[in-house]
Amino acid sequence: GQNIDQPTEMTATEGAIVQINCTYQTSGFNGLFWYQQHAGEAPTFLSYNVLDGLEEKGRFSSFLSRSKGYSYLLLKELQMKDSASYLCVLNTGGFKTIFGAGTRLFVKA
Amino acid sequence: NAGVTQTPKFRILKIGQSMTLQCAQDMNHNYMYWYRQDPGMGLKLIYYSVGAGITDKGEVPNGYNVSRSTTEDFPLRLELAAPSQTSVYFCASSYSNPTAASYNEQFFGPGTRLTVL
C-alpha cells in the first residue's frame, strides 16, 4: 500500500528557518512533489525531486532520500505570506500522484 | 493563458439533485484530473483522463461521472447528490512525457465549493 506521513501543524517565527518532514511508503516511486496551498486556494507547485539529494530554489529547498522513504521541505527567511499548508505528494508512476494531508504552517511575527 | 478554469465557484444542492462541475484548460495538456478535498484531508483522485475520449476511475469514483470529448474540457457530473459529497472539488491538468522519470507538475483550477443539504 501507499502511505504518507507529515506533521499536521507547525509554527515558526518570521525570518526563521523551518523544516517540514515527510515520510512515505509506496510500492512504486518516480518522484516526490511539494505543493503549497493557501487557505481557500488551489495547490501550487513548489518542487519535484527524483534523485537523492537537495534541490534549491530561492528560499525553498527540498531534500529526498529514496532509500529511507524520507523528504523534507526547508523554508528560509520566513515571511508572513508563507503561512499555508504544504503538501507532500508522491508520483507513483506516470501521471499517478498520491497526496498527503498536508502540514499547516503558521508564521508569527 | 487563463490556465485551468472551473465553474461554478460555489454551489448548494439538495439531496438527490444533480449538477455538472465544469473544467477547462487552455494549455493543450493531455492529462486532466478531478480531485475532492475534505477538511484536514489530502486530495483524493475521483477520475482522470489521459486524452480526449479516454477516462478512468481514480480512488473515489462512486457517485460521479466524467466525459472528455475535447482536449480542453473535462466536466464532472454528480447524478444524485448526497451529503457525503459536500467537499471542495479541484480540477487539474498536466502535460506528461510518459517516461519513468516523467516530470508532470499539475496545474490546478481555483476549486468549486459544494454543499449538499
Side-chain angles (χ1 to χ4, degrees), chain A residues 19-24 29 31-34 47-57 60-75 88:
Chain A
Q19 178 174 312
I20 302 174
N21 296 324
C22 171
T23 58
Y24 63 87
F29 181 87
L32 189 144
F33 292 94
W34 284 95
S47 67
Y48 183 58
N49 292 67
V50 176
L51 302 176
D52 286 0
L54 189 68
E55 296 275 346
E56 296 187 77
K57 192 184 291 186
F60 292 17
S61 303
S62 56
F63 171 83
L64 175 66
S65 169
R66 295 176 68 137
S67 61
K68 295 182 179 177
Y70 169 67
S71 173
Y72 68 73
L73 181 70
L74 193 71
L75 291 75
C88 177

Side-chain angles (χ1 to χ4, degrees), chain B residues 6-108:
Chain B
Q6 291 183 238
T7 55
K9 285 189 168 58
F10 303 92
R11 184 72 185 267
I12 298 175
L13 284 181
K14 293 182 180 178
I15 294 172
Q17 285 186 318
S18 61
M19 76 164 294
T20 299
L21 282 66
Q22 301 292 343
C23 174
Q25 54 91 9
D26 61 359
M27 297 174 281
N28 203 31
H29 286 168
N30 43 349
Y31 295 106
M32 294 188 75
Y33 318 79
W34 273 106
Y35 294 92
R36 60 177 288 171
Q37 186 176 32
D38 299 327
M41 306 290 286
L43 278 74
K44 302 291 186 186
L45 183 65
I46 305 171
Y47 270 94
Y48 65 92
S49 170
V50 301
I54 306 169
T55 63
D56 208 345
K57 296 177 181 178
E59 189 180 354
V60 289
N62 291 346
Y64 307 95
N65 275 301
V66 294
S67 59
R68 183 98 181 267
S69 57
T70 66
T71 300
E72 294 78 19
D73 300 298
F74 190 41
L76 178 72
R77 179 84 178 160
L78 283 72
E79 290 295 348
L80 291 170
S84 61
Q85 293 178 305
T86 294
S87 189
V88 180
Y89 291 84
F90 288 105
C91 178
S93 71
S94 67
Y95 179 76
S96 178
N97 182 356
T99 63
S102 62
Y103 179 119
N104 58 347
E105 171 193 350
Q106 294 184 23
F107 295 83
F108 286 83

